[in-house]
Amino acid sequence: MQVRFEHVRADYQLGPIRTANVINDINVELPTGTFTAIIGHTGAGKSSLLKLINGLLLPTAGEVHVGGLTINANGEKKILNQVRKRVGMVFQFPEAQLFAETVEQDIAFGPINFGFTQEQTKKAVRDSLDKVGLSVDLLKRSPFSLSGGQQRRVAIAGIMATNPDVLVLDEPGAGLDPEGRKKILSMLKCWHNEHKATTLLVTHDMDDVATYADDVLVLDHGRVASYQSVRQFFGDESRLNELAIDMPEPLRVQRRIEQEKGIKLSQVSLTRSELAANLIKEQLV
Amino acid sequence: MNGSPILSVKDLSFRYDIRTDDYALSAVSFTIKRGDWAAVIGDNGSGKSTLARLIVGLVEPEQGSIFINNCILNEQSKWDLRKKVGIVFQNPDNQFIGTTVQDDVAFGLENLNLDYHEMETRVFQALKLVDMYHFRDKDPSQLSGGQKQRVAIAGVLALQPDLMIFDEAFVMLDPKSRRELLKVLKNIQKKLNLTILSITHDREEATLADQLLVLSAGKLIDQGEPQAIFQKNPDIEPPFAEQLRQELKGKGIEVPDGYMTEDELVAWICR
Ligand SMILES: Nc1ncnc2c1ncn2[C@@H]1O[C@H](COP(=O)(O)OP(=O)(O)OP(=O)(O)O)[C@@H](O)[C@H]1O
Ligand SMILES: Nc1ncnc2c1ncn2[C@@H]1O[C@H](COP(=O)(O)OP(=O)(O)OP(=O)(O)O)[C@@H](O)[C@H]1O
Ligand SMILES: [Mg+2]
Ligand SMILES: [Mg+2]
């Protein structure tokens, strides 16, 4: 399902006062099946952009198209409901997303709402619990009595149980331990590939960008500062400096070695194994 | 006063529900010296935030004791000791009290009996350090995630407590801001001889610490200098350079034996 922003502007209305535009004329098309990392500094508008996709924030001008559905300033209830059935969103703070009395009820909410049978719901809950590496012992617990990382996992499980076409992930790795982070992000990537989903991932971790995303969209003061493939993006050192964006760890170490040796490797290393392979190929180790 | 313990935890055990035998912490003991930076790592649910809650007196130990500045933490001493400890919680939303950013930062200072001018100076300075001065009149609930974390951090910076606890307080900052803020913190810490206890999943941050504590299922399984910990515990994911060394080794390359820091690995490659 394609996601398209057509000259979208948005702000947060505070009572009668309008704030400045936090999304400022965004005009971009994310084709079906693409995995896009959204990056940018604090307050750049990343979360706001994600909220526009499921109508949690409405455009003040322009339109957001999700598949054949169109969200505009009117924010028609009927359309928003249809959109929310297709879009699964993991919030920046998981607590904001959890609401039910037990973990089980929380994860089952989506499936029940979508008319799954009791059997199907039960299976969906177990399957998604397994996907995020949580034990069934937690099912009867209150989601609010869990650790931060456990809450994050429940929030992700709740989204996976609904089979979304569009995955909208706001710093899903924050609060996960390194092993869990890798497992869960790989799981999300597999899911994305299998379901030909369209995925948007907000992250501050450039290694996640390099490992999981196809494209990078850089936001700056509510505008698109850059939108290109991951490899092109990280290969352009001066542009990265201009945008004050970090390199992924492997590339940073590659650049450091290049600098100290006064050489240039022929390829950009985005992952650890790429760096290892490049070092071996160029006989540096 | 350097070298004397600011925090000392003895045989600490805790359960959220005493009807079960799920110990969130069991028999944890350690000491942190004044002026040190200690980092706590461990898997999700291993008890890190619980430890923080116990140290600030939000929950009470089932067994064992906590000493802050050589003074035992109990019902009587709690109110006084709380002035010496500041915490940034894992979710900043649980922390905001004020209706504006500056009120919120000022709120923590209310018990310190500062005059108005001194209070304002501290609040503004702290907000400038985290780059949130321009947001001082905003409602903290209407900020972005990273902005909320900055405000919560400013609250502790303004307080300048002897012991600062950060519970994954930097995760929503972009990498550059995070590095800058860690530098700022290190400077303040040195200047005022403060102690920092930072809970983190970030390996690069953990390697900056003087002392690393490793929790696993409620038990303190190791403590010591970060490098020694990563050397001894192959199960704990090491920093990137060491991962690279291991990967090269796995590919049959003759790399030096044993743990390597990034400086060492780069020096070896560029030898
Ligand atoms: N309020 C609570 N009531 C009951 N159990 C709790 C409560 N808070 C935490 N727990 C449980 O105690 C254990 C330790 O939780 P804690 O929050 O200390 O973990 P943590 O190490 O901070 O994990 P994370 O990295 O996910 O933040 C977990 O199994 C958790 O489910
Ligand atoms: N509920 C709100 N009410 C008013 N203003 C808001 C609200 N939420 C966010 N803002 C403002 O909108 C701007 C964009 O915020 P947004 O949450 O989209 O940023 P972000 O890129 O996700 O940042 P971060 O990396 O810190 O999460 C910020 O300046 C923020 O202060
Ligand atoms: Mg955000
Ligand atoms: Mg925690």
Side-chain angles (χ1 to χ4, degrees):
Chain A
M1 204 172 259
Q2 179 209 57
V3 176
R4 188 154 57 89
F5 295 88
E6 214 180 284
H7 295 290
V8 175
R9 290 172 200 276
D11 61 25
Y12 290 92
Q13 190 169 359
L14 302 168
I17 316 160
R18 303 217 76 108
T19 59
N21 280 332
V22 297
I23 294 296
N24 218 333
D25 196 23
I26 287 198
N27 201 30
V28 71
E29 179 182 325
L30 309 175
T32 308
T34 51
F35 197 122
T36 309
I38 316 281
I39 64 175
H41 296 278
T42 302
K46 303 179 297 295
S47 299
S48 304
L49 187 75
L50 296 195
K51 287 188 219 160
L52 281 160
I53 301 172
N54 75 347
L56 279 175
L57 177 66
L58 292 174
T60 48
E63 291 176 340
V64 182
H65 302 274
V66 180
L69 300 161
T70 302
I71 308 173
N72 55 26
N74 300 330
E76 244 179 281
K77 266 255 139 49
K78 217 179 79 199
I79 297 203
L80 293 186
N81 280 335
Q82 281 175 294
V83 168
R84 285 176 190 155
K85 287 203 167 160
R86 308 278 30 107
V87 178
M89 172 154 177
V90 175
F91 291 28
Q92 189 164 4
F93 292 103
E95 260 174 316
Q97 175 150 27
L98 304 170
F99 62 97
E101 256 173 59
T102 66
V103 168
E104 183 165 30
Q105 287 166 11
D106 215 296
I107 303 176
F109 180 82
I112 291 173
N113 220 15
F114 292 175
F116 284 30
T117 65
Q118 228 180 1
E119 262 324 291
Q120 287 168 326
T121 302
K122 223 177 163 157
K123 186 169 168 347
V125 171
R126 299 285 154 133
D127 286 352
S128 23
L129 209 60
D130 192 49
K131 283 200 182 85
V132 296
L134 283 179
S135 119
V136 289
D137 298 345
L138 295 182
L139 279 177
K140 298 293 173 215
R141 291 263 300 273
S142 156
F144 299 102
S145 78
L146 300 178
S147 80
Q150 290 167 338
Q151 285 181 344
R152 170 75 69 197
R153 291 169 195 244
V154 173
I156 295 172
I159 297 309
M160 300 321 289
T162 64
N163 267 328
D165 297 313
V166 179
L167 267 180
V168 176
L169 311 165
D170 202 348
E171 304 194 32
L176 296 176
D177 54 62
E179 195 190 326
R181 180 188 189 110
K182 243 182 248 152
K183 278 198 179 138
I184 289 175
L185 287 173
S186 314
M187 176 279 290
L188 289 167
K189 176 78 180 188
C190 283
W191 162 276
H192 166 91
N193 288 341
E194 270 169 34
H195 291 77
K196 302 199 168 40
T198 305
T199 302
L200 289 87
L201 167 74
V202 170
T203 180
H204 286 303
D205 189 325
M206 296 307 129
D207 289 302
D208 288 351
V209 176
T211 311
Y212 304 105
D214 310 313
D215 305 310
V216 194
L217 191 155
V218 185
L219 277 184
D220 184 29
H221 291 96
R223 298 174 194 270
V224 177
S226 155
Y227 177 40
Q228 52 189 324
S229 80
V230 167
R231 202 165 284 279
Q232 254 179 350
F233 176 69
F234 284 121
D236 187 347
E237 225 176 325
S238 58
R239 185 83 180 118
L240 288 183
N241 278 332
E242 233 170 76
L243 293 167
I245 301 280
D246 268 25
M247 284 178 259
E249 284 286 275
L251 184 55
R252 185 181 59 74
V253 172
Q254 172 179 337
R255 295 296 190 223
R256 208 181 141 184
I257 295 168
E258 287 174 347
Q259 186 127 46
E260 292 195 18
K261 279 218 108 152
I263 50 160
K264 204 93 191 155
L265 301 192
S266 58
Q267 264 164 354
V268 164
S269 317
L270 291 184
T271 61
R272 194 181 65 216
S273 36
E274 279 182 22
L275 177 57
N278 285 335
L279 290 174
I280 293 170
K281 198 176 74 194
E282 313 239 353
Q283 300 186 325
L284 287 166
V285 289
Chain B
M1 282 280 273
N2 249 350
S4 69
I6 173 91
L7 174 69
S8 165
V9 165
K10 295 211 167 100
D11 197 28
L12 194 64
S13 293
F14 180 80
R15 280 178 290 184
Y16 283 97
D17 185 347
I18 50 166
R19 292 167 304 181
T20 67
D21 26 81
D22 297 338
Y23 279 88
L25 286 177
S26 52
V28 168
S29 301
F30 64 89
T31 298
I32 297 176
K33 284 189 306 209
R34 180 180 296 273
D36 260 8
W37 183 304
V40 185
I41 62 171
D43 288 349
N44 292 139
S46 58
K48 304 180 298 297
S49 299
T50 304
L51 177 65
R53 283 183 204 123
L54 283 157
I55 297 170
V56 295
L58 272 181
V59 291
E60 279 172 35
E62 183 179 325
Q63 213 190 82
S65 34
I66 296 165
F67 297 85
I68 295 166
N69 253 341
N70 292 319
C71 174
I72 191 162
L73 177 70
N74 58 28
E75 209 42 50
Q76 289 76 44
S77 65
K78 185 158 112 183
W79 302 105
D80 208 36
L81 287 179
R82 265 193 191 168
K83 290 187 200 156
K84 301 196 183 338
V85 185
I87 182 166
V88 179
F89 290 110
Q90 196 162 0
N91 182 345
D93 277 329
N94 297 339
Q95 183 138 16
F96 295 132
I97 305 167
T99 50
T100 66
V101 163
Q102 62 182 6
D103 283 357
D104 198 82
V105 175
F107 188 81
L109 305 180
E110 252 155 36
N111 295 328
L112 297 186
N113 299 319
L114 304 173
D115 67 51
Y116 180 81
H117 185 71
E118 161 85 17
M119 184 136 141
E120 194 182 65
T121 310
R122 279 222 207 167
V123 170
F124 286 178
Q125 263 177 358
L127 284 173
K128 281 177 189 159
L129 283 175
V130 298
D131 208 7
M132 287 298 289
Y133 180 68
H134 294 296
F135 290 80
R136 64 190 179 282
D137 293 323
K138 291 250 159 50
D139 177 346
S141 69
Q142 287 163 343
L143 296 174
S144 79
Q147 290 167 344
K148 285 180 182 177
Q149 278 195 325
R150 285 163 195 248
V151 173
I153 294 164
V156 173
L157 287 178
L159 195 61
Q160 300 175 357
D162 289 352
L163 175 62
M164 303 201 221
I165 303 178
F166 297 102
D167 193 350
E168 298 189 40
F170 314 115
V171 285
M172 276 158 195
L173 304 183
D174 51 85
K176 281 221 162 70
S177 312
R178 185 181 313 162
R179 270 197 308 271
E180 279 161 21
L181 193 68
L182 289 177
K183 225 187 265 163
V184 165
L185 269 176
K186 264 238 136 92
N187 285 337
I188 295 176
Q189 183 209 11
K190 285 263 148 15
K191 208 168 89 195
L192 302 173
N193 200 26
L194 308 177
T195 310
I196 290 177
L197 183 72
S198 178
I199 296 170
T200 183
H201 292 297
D202 180 25
R203 291 304 181 245
E204 308 310 320
E205 192 195 322
T207 44
L208 295 177
D210 301 304
Q211 187 188 4
L212 197 54
L213 303 166
V214 188
L215 281 174
S216 172
K219 295 198 173 73
L220 185 67
I221 55 164
D222 207 350
Q223 55 182 316
E225 281 182 14
Q227 201 170 324
I229 301 267
F230 290 123
Q231 269 167 16
K232 262 195 294 177
N233 298 278
D235 288 350
I236 301 174
E237 191 187 270
F240 177 76
E242 170 61 12
Q243 290 181 33
L244 179 61
R245 187 193 69 85
Q246 288 173 12
E247 170 133 8
L248 289 170
K249 193 176 175 184
K251 293 204 155 132
I253 304 295
E254 270 185 47
V255 289
D257 263 339
Y259 182 92
M260 282 177 106
T261 64
E262 185 174 313
D263 288 347
E264 289 164 355
L265 185 70
V266 170
W268 175 73
I269 290 171
C270 299
R271 72 200 178 276

